[in-house]
Amino acid sequence: MQKLLKLLVVMMIFVLGFTGFAANNIAEAKAGKKFTDKLVKCVDGDTAYFKKAGKSRFLYVDTPESTNKIEAYGKTASKYTCNKLKSAKKIQLQYDGTKKDKYGRTLVWVWVDGKLLQKLLVQKGYVKKFYDYGTYSYESELVKLQKKAQKDKVGLWSKKKESVTIATTNKTNFKNCTELRKYYPNGVPKSHKAYQAKMDRDKDGYACER
């Protein structure tokens, strides 16, 4: 009887251990395997072009606008993201479920030198909201960090709000990108009234982007 009980206990430990191991593996594997990629160009706080992934939208985070409609902390978030990507020795991307959004952009988690860029953006207070079209691997962690950023009053949540100075014009025909960027610092998409094909040198549907 004692031998039988011992055998049952060992089996239970094995089953529970295996279940826990499997659950952890499923959680870790959900987001997919990381792969190394190279930056082609940075667009704004949550969008960039990569060599393998193409035009990519960062999963789950939504930073303030910095192109057509410039919002507070939009330029700051854009500058922060671009600096991180350009200075990174190693960039890794990670898929998590659906690979493309309705605009054809690749959806990715972005890692710069081993750190999750979305996490860094949230901690800085540069994420105004989350777009929740599903359950993502790092969602709960980012939500907690967002609450902390709000509590600590950093970035968008600070008492000292960033002022936004926007040059306005009704002009649509600019001579060159230097002139256009005085009003649209990060360039314009093909749908914008100021877009000109001659300023879209790489023919990606975005003129004068930095």
Side-chain angles (χ1 to χ4, degrees), residues 25-96:
N25 274 2
I26 290 170
E28 290 174 3
K30 183 187 171 187
K33 188 177 180 180
K34 296 176 188 174
F35 61 94
T36 303
D37 209 338
K38 290 185 178 181
L39 177 70
V40 175
K41 62 184 174 184
C42 185
V43 177
D44 55 28
D46 54 33
T47 310
Y49 284 80
F50 298 101
K51 190 173 182 179
K52 295 177 184 176
K55 187 174 185 180
S56 302
R57 180 72 163 80
F58 302 173
L59 272 166
Y60 199 51
V61 298
D62 187 12
T63 60
E65 294 297 321
S66 63
T67 51
N68 299 333
K69 177 186 176 183
I70 301 176
E71 300 175 329
Y73 284 92
K75 290 183 180 180
T76 301
S78 179
K79 184 177 180 180
Y80 180 80
T81 290
C82 292
N83 285 341
K84 282 292 183 183
L85 290 171
K86 289 176 181 178
S87 64
K89 293 180 180 179
K90 186 176 184 179
I91 295 174
Q92 292 174 294
L93 305 181
Q94 197 175 20
Y95 299 129
D96 198 348

